[in-house]
Amino acid sequence: MKKHDQDFMKRQNRLTVFEIIKNQAPISRAAIAKQTGMSATTVSRIVGELADQGYILESDQVSVGLGRKSTLLGIADTSVLSVGVELDSHQMNIGIVDIQGNIVCSSKYTRTSDEKPDVTLMRISEAIHDLMEQHGIDKTRALGIGMGLPGIVNNQTGIVVFSVQLGWKNVQLAERLKELTGYEVAVDNE
């Protein structure tokens, strides 16, 4: 039980440091330690791990004021990515966005109104793969896919209950797209 609690606290501390850097960048290690009550050593260890994994960057900027100058930290914008898919009867729009919500790349694809769900999902999977390849994106940086489409969607289960525009009924979209891509999938009405 003790090991479980320690692992949980380490994950929580790591998430806390990441969120502070994301929301307050540029920020110093000392400022993070002061805000969180963590030791400077703990903050430095976490920052080191996050930097080694490519999630944060040390800025060329240094803190101002009295005392020793601190290197400021920021998020590597492309360290965490999301895939967005917008689907309608004649078009698929697919884009990859960074942690700040900036579009890294996107493309539009035509679609026929009578295209079967499995064909559409396979094409979406291939298009995501191709976009990442073309733009040199590390696929491990993508956390998941958010998909919007017209119709009645059970966003808890990821099932398209009914879509008149797409001609789909009871399509297990999230489950099937996750099988094809390996990413978590959230589905909602457009």
Side-chain angles (χ1 to χ4, degrees):
M1 188 67 130
K2 188 176 181 183
K3 174 74 171 146
H4 174 72
D5 292 342
Q6 288 175 339
D7 290 342
F8 176 77
M9 285 307 298
K10 283 181 180 179
R11 284 192 307 274
Q12 287 303 111
N13 287 346
R14 182 181 163 102
L15 181 60
T16 299
V17 169
F18 182 82
E19 285 293 320
I20 288 172
I21 295 169
K22 178 181 178 278
N23 295 324
Q24 298 177 32
I27 189 168
S28 70
R29 288 170 178 82
I32 295 168
K34 185 176 180 180
Q35 256 185 37
T36 62
M38 292 179 209
S39 71
T41 304
T42 299
V43 171
S44 287
R45 179 187 50 77
I46 293 169
V47 166
E49 290 171 2
L50 291 170
D52 287 347
Q53 294 170 344
Y55 291 112
I56 62 171
L57 300 170
E58 291 188 346
S59 167
D60 291 339
Q61 294 178 302
V62 291
S63 62
V64 294
L66 301 174
R68 186 173 162 220
K69 303 298 180 211
S70 300
T71 302
L72 299 179
L73 306 167
I75 295 292
D77 286 344
T78 58
S79 64
V80 179
L81 302 170
S82 300
V83 179
V85 179
E86 180 185 29
L87 184 63
D88 69 29
S89 59
H90 297 294
Q91 187 167 299
M92 302 182 305
N93 298 321
I94 301 174
I96 299 173
V97 296
D98 68 20
I99 195 164
Q100 303 296 347
N102 302 312
I103 296 173
V104 175
C105 59
S106 66
S107 195
K108 295 179 182 200
Y109 306 87
T110 58
R111 169 182 189 282
T112 61
S113 59
D114 62 344
E115 191 172 272
K116 299 291 180 212
D118 251 3
V119 172
T120 298
L121 297 178
M122 183 64 74
R123 290 184 60 221
I124 290 169
S125 173
E126 291 168 358
I128 291 168
H129 174 77
D130 291 348
L131 269 176
M132 289 184 176
E133 286 281 316
Q134 291 168 5
H135 296 275
I137 296 171
D138 178 358
K139 64 181 179 183
T140 64
R141 295 293 183 192
L143 294 182
I145 300 169
M147 188 162 176
L149 54 94
I152 300 168
V153 176
N154 181 330
N155 52 5
Q156 297 295 319
T157 62
I159 294 174
V160 178
V161 178
F162 186 67
S163 173
V164 172
Q165 284 184 337
L166 300 176
W168 292 3
K169 186 174 182 180
N170 295 321
V171 175
Q172 295 187 355
L173 193 147
E175 180 182 312
R176 181 67 179 125
L177 193 54
K178 181 178 180 178
E179 289 171 4
L180 292 169
T181 63
Y183 296 120
E184 293 297 323
V185 179
V187 185
D188 209 341
N189 180 282
E190 63 185 357

